[in-house]
């Protein structure tokens, strides 16, 4: 009986996986079984870390804003600033606030001062009649 050559589909699948893991070290880029395991592991890590990256950037922005606000030597905190921004209906997200805080601190100070002034004006506008 003559020898039957196998198909090319499995080989094509394995070479495609090898291209994905070609930069991995050792057996992780050479042996088919470990290649499949490492590919799955890499994709799982990438999926998990996409969400983690969003969390980490949000934490970084909050830390930057808080540092600049507290550096103003005013008894004012990040949570107060965000609360007053929402009260004043100024919709600035944390990314933009952090960029303002880093690049132009005076602008952030002006924003916080305006919020405080408007708050004081509202309190002065209320007159009590006894």
């Amino acid at each position: 009986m003559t020898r039957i050559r196998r198909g090319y589909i499995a080989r094509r699948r394995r070479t495609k996986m090898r291209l994905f893991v070609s930069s991995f070290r050792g057996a992780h880029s050479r042996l088919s079984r470990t290649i499949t395991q490492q590919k799955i592991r890499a994709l799982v890590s990438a999926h998990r870390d996409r969400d983690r990256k969003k969390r980490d950037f949000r934490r970084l922005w909050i830390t930057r804003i808080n540092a600049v606000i507290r550096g103003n030597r005013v008894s004012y905190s990040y949570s107060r600033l965000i609360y007053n921004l929402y009260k004043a209906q100024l919709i600035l997200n944390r990314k933009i606030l952090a960029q303002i805080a880093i690049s132009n601190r005076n602008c952030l100070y002006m924003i916080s001062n305006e919020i405080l002034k408007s708050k004081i004006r509202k309190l002065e506008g209320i007159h009590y009649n006894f």
Side-chain angles (χ1 to χ4, degrees):
M1 242 183 161
T2 58
R3 179 178 170 270
I4 298 171
R5 292 177 58 188
R6 293 288 309 268
Y8 60 92
I9 294 169
R11 187 168 54 250
R12 191 194 305 165
R13 187 183 72 238
R14 288 190 194 107
T15 53
K16 207 185 298 183
M17 280 195 293
R18 277 212 166 81
L19 288 173
F20 182 85
V21 297
S22 61
S23 62
F24 294 4
R25 293 181 63 186
H28 295 171
S29 65
R30 290 191 188 93
L31 305 178
S32 294
R33 196 172 291 175
T34 52
I35 283 174
T36 56
Q37 292 169 356
Q38 290 304 310
K39 181 182 178 185
I40 291 169
R41 187 171 179 188
L43 292 174
V44 165
S45 296
H47 183 265
R48 180 194 63 224
D49 291 337
R50 274 195 295 274
D51 289 335
R52 187 170 288 171
K53 184 171 71 170
K54 293 175 183 69
R55 263 181 266 154
D56 290 343
F57 270 107
R58 183 182 166 97
R59 285 177 61 191
L60 175 70
W61 298 330
I62 289 171
T63 307
R64 285 179 174 173
I65 295 165
N66 199 16
V68 171
I69 286 297
R70 287 178 188 268
N72 195 10
R73 294 182 185 85
V74 179
S75 59
Y76 206 57
S77 66
Y78 164 80
S79 58
R80 272 277 161 221
L81 175 73
I82 295 297
Y83 174 73
N84 290 332
L85 279 173
Y86 276 102
K87 286 282 248 193
Q89 294 178 344
L90 288 172
I91 310 300
L92 290 172
N93 61 9
R94 286 156 184 82
K95 180 181 176 182
I96 299 299
L97 280 173
Q99 287 176 350
I100 291 170
I102 295 298
S103 63
N104 193 358
R105 291 179 179 202
N106 293 332
C107 185
L108 188 68
Y109 295 151
M110 286 170 46
I111 291 170
S112 62
N113 289 337
E114 285 297 319
I115 292 170
L116 288 174
K117 285 178 187 174
S118 66
K119 194 174 178 183
I120 292 169
R121 275 190 233 121
K122 284 181 183 177
L123 289 174
E124 288 175 351
I126 300 171
H127 296 289
Y128 295 104
N129 295 328
F130 294 107

